Amino acid sequence: MSDLTDRSLISEDDIRNVADGSTLRISDRALVTPLAADLARERHIRLERVSGNTPRKKVAIGADHGGFEMKEALKGVLTDLGFDHQDFGTHSTEPVDYPDFAYAVAQAVSRRKCDMGIMIDGAGIGSCMVANKVPGVRAAMCYDAGSARNSREHNGANVLTLGGKVISNDKMREIVRMWVSTDLTEERHRRRVAKIDALL
């Protein structure tokens, strides 16, 4: 029996290191990527969820007036995926300035008050620009599941920006599910992200 109860995310690489037909103990709050779940089924690996004290990851969320309605829908998506969230506003569709909210979300991630962040404005572009001004933040504007996966797997993005006026809520759910279930795992990508972080 293998034990990964200390992990909050179970990836395909984790499953590859487990013997065929064995049992893998994971936290009851762990997120299992779709590829990991498929591989476990193919190799007859039983995932045994056990109660633990692993804290739930917290996502900083924010929006301007153009992203407010999508932000409200995002809360339910995150809850369903097993994440807590902290809402930095805005709290209505009254016009506001996106830089204020994008900065608040990025600061929460930079200061490690939240594990990752998601910011929604009309197109997702302006908030991405703002967030990337904050030290330690690697923000990515994503428009589909492929760009979401790449931003995490290759670039170690820790803030996701979305365009509330250019994608549907269904597309947002698809992007967010992929984004939170993908991690930076390969050494070659880690090396390149370290170079990003070293830039002033």
Short mmCIF file of all heavy atoms in Angstrom, two decimals, residues 154-182:
data_model
loop_
_atom_site.label_atom_id
_atom_site.label_comp_id
_atom_site.label_asym_id
_atom_site.label_seq_id
_atom_site.Cartn_x
_atom_site.Cartn_y
_atom_site.Cartn_z
N HIS A 154 3.50 24.28 -17.64
CA HIS A 154 4.73 24.80 -18.22
C HIS A 154 5.22 26.08 -17.55
O HIS A 154 6.42 26.32 -17.50
CB HIS A 154 4.54 25.08 -19.71
CG HIS A 154 4.41 23.85 -20.54
ND1 HIS A 154 5.30 23.52 -21.54
CD2 HIS A 154 3.50 22.84 -20.51
CE1 HIS A 154 4.93 22.37 -22.09
NE2 HIS A 154 3.83 21.95 -21.49
N ASN A 155 4.28 26.92 -17.08
CA ASN A 155 4.65 28.25 -16.60
C ASN A 155 4.41 28.47 -15.12
O ASN A 155 4.72 29.55 -14.61
CB ASN A 155 3.90 29.33 -17.40
CG ASN A 155 3.97 29.08 -18.90
OD1 ASN A 155 2.94 28.92 -19.54
ND2 ASN A 155 5.16 29.01 -19.47
N GLY A 156 3.85 27.50 -14.43
CA GLY A 156 3.63 27.63 -12.99
C GLY A 156 2.77 28.82 -12.62
O GLY A 156 2.99 29.46 -11.58
N ALA A 157 1.76 29.13 -13.43
CA ALA A 157 0.89 30.27 -13.13
C ALA A 157 0.24 30.11 -11.76
O ALA A 157 -0.24 29.02 -11.42
CB ALA A 157 -0.18 30.42 -14.21
N ASN A 158 0.24 31.18 -10.99
CA ASN A 158 -0.44 31.14 -9.69
C ASN A 158 -1.62 32.10 -9.61
O ASN A 158 -2.31 32.15 -8.60
CB ASN A 158 0.55 31.37 -8.54
CG ASN A 158 1.37 32.63 -8.69
OD1 ASN A 158 1.07 33.49 -9.51
ND2 ASN A 158 2.44 32.72 -7.91
N VAL A 159 -1.83 32.87 -10.67
CA VAL A 159 -3.03 33.69 -10.80
C VAL A 159 -3.60 33.46 -12.20
O VAL A 159 -2.87 33.49 -13.19
CB VAL A 159 -2.74 35.19 -10.58
CG1 VAL A 159 -3.96 36.04 -10.93
CG2 VAL A 159 -2.32 35.45 -9.13
N LEU A 160 -4.90 33.22 -12.25
CA LEU A 160 -5.62 33.03 -13.50
C LEU A 160 -6.50 34.24 -13.74
O LEU A 160 -7.21 34.69 -12.82
CB LEU A 160 -6.50 31.77 -13.39
CG LEU A 160 -7.56 31.52 -14.47
CD1 LEU A 160 -6.90 31.24 -15.82
CD2 LEU A 160 -8.47 30.37 -14.06
N THR A 161 -6.45 34.80 -14.94
CA THR A 161 -7.38 35.88 -15.27
C THR A 161 -8.30 35.43 -16.39
O THR A 161 -7.88 34.70 -17.30
CB THR A 161 -6.66 37.19 -15.65
OG1 THR A 161 -5.95 37.04 -16.88
CG2 THR A 161 -5.70 37.63 -14.55
N LEU A 162 -9.56 35.84 -16.29
CA LEU A 162 -10.59 35.42 -17.23
C LEU A 162 -11.37 36.63 -17.72
O LEU A 162 -11.50 37.63 -17.01
CB LEU A 162 -11.56 34.45 -16.55
CG LEU A 162 -10.97 33.14 -16.02
CD1 LEU A 162 -11.99 32.41 -15.15
CD2 LEU A 162 -10.52 32.26 -17.17
N GLY A 163 -11.92 36.51 -18.92
CA GLY A 163 -12.76 37.55 -19.50
C GLY A 163 -14.22 37.23 -19.35
O GLY A 163 -14.75 36.38 -20.07
N GLY A 164 -14.87 37.89 -18.42
CA GLY A 164 -16.28 37.62 -18.16
C GLY A 164 -17.20 37.97 -19.32
O GLY A 164 -18.31 37.46 -19.40
N LYS A 165 -16.72 38.82 -20.23
CA LYS A 165 -17.53 39.21 -21.38
C LYS A 165 -17.20 38.42 -22.64
O LYS A 165 -17.86 38.57 -23.66
CB LYS A 165 -17.35 40.70 -21.67
CG LYS A 165 -17.76 41.62 -20.54
CD LYS A 165 -19.25 41.55 -20.28
CE LYS A 165 -19.67 42.57 -19.23
NZ LYS A 165 -21.08 42.46 -18.88
N VAL A 166 -16.17 37.57 -22.58
CA VAL A 166 -15.77 36.84 -23.79
C VAL A 166 -15.87 35.32 -23.67
O VAL A 166 -15.74 34.62 -24.67
CB VAL A 166 -14.33 37.24 -24.22
CG1 VAL A 166 -14.28 38.70 -24.62
CG2 VAL A 166 -13.32 36.96 -23.12
N ILE A 167 -16.10 34.81 -22.46
CA ILE A 167 -16.33 33.37 -22.30
C ILE A 167 -17.62 33.14 -21.52
O ILE A 167 -18.06 34.02 -20.78
CB ILE A 167 -15.15 32.65 -21.60
CG1 ILE A 167 -14.94 33.18 -20.18
CG2 ILE A 167 -13.88 32.74 -22.41
CD1 ILE A 167 -13.98 32.36 -19.35
N SER A 168 -18.21 31.97 -21.70
CA SER A 168 -19.44 31.61 -20.99
C SER A 168 -19.09 31.04 -19.61
O SER A 168 -17.95 30.67 -19.34
CB SER A 168 -20.22 30.57 -21.79
OG SER A 168 -19.47 29.36 -21.83
N ASN A 169 -20.10 30.92 -18.76
CA ASN A 169 -19.88 30.28 -17.46
C ASN A 169 -19.48 28.82 -17.62
O ASN A 169 -18.67 28.30 -16.85
CB ASN A 169 -21.13 30.39 -16.58
CG ASN A 169 -21.24 31.74 -15.90
OD1 ASN A 169 -20.36 32.60 -16.02
ND2 ASN A 169 -22.32 31.95 -15.16
N ASP A 170 -20.02 28.14 -18.63
CA ASP A 170 -19.62 26.75 -18.87
C ASP A 170 -18.14 26.67 -19.24
O ASP A 170 -17.42 25.79 -18.76
CB ASP A 170 -20.47 26.13 -19.99
CG ASP A 170 -21.88 25.80 -19.55
OD1 ASP A 170 -22.11 25.72 -18.33
OD2 ASP A 170 -22.75 25.62 -20.43
N LYS A 171 -17.68 27.59 -20.08
CA LYS A 171 -16.27 27.62 -20.45
C LYS A 171 -15.41 27.96 -19.24
O LYS A 171 -14.34 27.40 -19.04
CB LYS A 171 -16.04 28.63 -21.57
CG LYS A 171 -14.60 28.74 -22.04
CD LYS A 171 -14.09 27.45 -22.67
CE LYS A 171 -14.65 27.22 -24.04
NZ LYS A 171 -14.02 26.05 -24.72
N MET A 172 -15.88 28.87 -18.39
CA MET A 172 -15.15 29.22 -17.16
C MET A 172 -14.97 27.98 -16.29
O MET A 172 -13.89 27.73 -15.78
CB MET A 172 -15.92 30.31 -16.40
CG MET A 172 -15.33 30.66 -15.03
SD MET A 172 -15.98 29.64 -13.66
CE MET A 172 -17.64 30.25 -13.51
N ARG A 173 -16.03 27.20 -16.14
CA ARG A 173 -15.94 25.99 -15.31
C ARG A 173 -14.89 25.03 -15.87
O ARG A 173 -14.09 24.45 -15.13
CB ARG A 173 -17.30 25.29 -15.24
CG ARG A 173 -18.32 26.04 -14.43
CD ARG A 173 -19.64 25.26 -14.31
NE ARG A 173 -20.64 26.09 -13.67
CZ ARG A 173 -21.55 26.81 -14.31
NH1 ARG A 173 -21.60 26.78 -15.63
NH2 ARG A 173 -22.42 27.54 -13.63
N GLU A 174 -14.90 24.85 -17.18
CA GLU A 174 -13.94 23.96 -17.84
C GLU A 174 -12.51 24.45 -17.62
O GLU A 174 -11.61 23.67 -17.29
CB GLU A 174 -14.27 23.94 -19.34
CG GLU A 174 -13.34 23.12 -20.19
CD GLU A 174 -13.66 23.28 -21.68
OE1 GLU A 174 -14.84 23.44 -22.03
OE2 GLU A 174 -12.70 23.25 -22.47
N ILE A 175 -12.30 25.74 -17.78
CA ILE A 175 -10.96 26.32 -17.60
C ILE A 175 -10.50 26.17 -16.16
O ILE A 175 -9.37 25.74 -15.89
CB ILE A 175 -10.97 27.81 -18.01
CG1 ILE A 175 -11.17 27.95 -19.52
CG2 ILE A 175 -9.68 28.51 -17.57
CD1 ILE A 175 -11.48 29.37 -19.98
N VAL A 176 -11.37 26.53 -15.21
CA VAL A 176 -10.99 26.50 -13.79
C VAL A 176 -10.70 25.07 -13.33
O VAL A 176 -9.72 24.83 -12.63
CB VAL A 176 -12.07 27.17 -12.92
CG1 VAL A 176 -11.81 26.92 -11.43
CG2 VAL A 176 -12.12 28.67 -13.20
N ARG A 177 -11.53 24.11 -13.74
CA ARG A 177 -11.28 22.72 -13.36
C ARG A 177 -9.90 22.26 -13.83
O ARG A 177 -9.16 21.62 -13.09
CB ARG A 177 -12.35 21.80 -13.96
CG ARG A 177 -13.66 21.84 -13.22
CD ARG A 177 -14.59 20.72 -13.69
NE ARG A 177 -15.92 20.92 -13.13
CZ ARG A 177 -16.97 21.36 -13.81
NH1 ARG A 177 -16.85 21.62 -15.10
NH2 ARG A 177 -18.13 21.51 -13.23
N MET A 178 -9.57 22.59 -15.08
CA MET A 178 -8.27 22.20 -15.60
C MET A 178 -7.14 22.94 -14.88
O MET A 178 -6.12 22.35 -14.53
CB MET A 178 -8.21 22.46 -17.11
CG MET A 178 -6.86 22.10 -17.75
SD MET A 178 -6.44 20.34 -17.59
CE MET A 178 -7.58 19.65 -18.81
N TRP A 179 -7.33 24.21 -14.65
CA TRP A 179 -6.28 25.05 -14.06
C TRP A 179 -5.91 24.58 -12.65
O TRP A 179 -4.74 24.44 -12.33
CB TRP A 179 -6.73 26.51 -14.06
CG TRP A 179 -5.62 27.49 -13.82
CD1 TRP A 179 -4.66 27.87 -14.70
CD2 TRP A 179 -5.38 28.22 -12.62
NE1 TRP A 179 -3.82 28.80 -14.12
CE2 TRP A 179 -4.24 29.04 -12.85
CE3 TRP A 179 -6.01 28.28 -11.38
CZ2 TRP A 179 -3.73 29.90 -11.88
CZ3 TRP A 179 -5.50 29.13 -10.41
CH2 TRP A 179 -4.38 29.93 -10.66
N VAL A 180 -6.92 24.33 -11.83
CA VAL A 180 -6.62 23.94 -10.44
C VAL A 180 -6.15 22.49 -10.33
O VAL A 180 -5.56 22.11 -9.32
CB VAL A 180 -7.80 24.19 -9.48
CG1 VAL A 180 -8.18 25.66 -9.46
CG2 VAL A 180 -9.00 23.31 -9.81
N SER A 181 -6.40 21.67 -11.35
CA SER A 181 -6.02 20.26 -11.27
C SER A 181 -4.70 19.96 -11.97
O SER A 181 -4.29 18.81 -12.06
CB SER A 181 -7.13 19.37 -11.85
OG SER A 181 -7.26 19.58 -13.23
N THR A 182 -4.03 20.99 -12.46
CA THR A 182 -2.74 20.83 -13.14
C THR A 182 -1.66 21.48 -12.30
O THR A 182 -1.90 22.51 -11.67
CB THR A 182 -2.78 21.46 -14.55
OG1 THR A 182 -3.90 20.94 -15.26
CG2 THR A 182 -1.51 21.17 -15.32
#
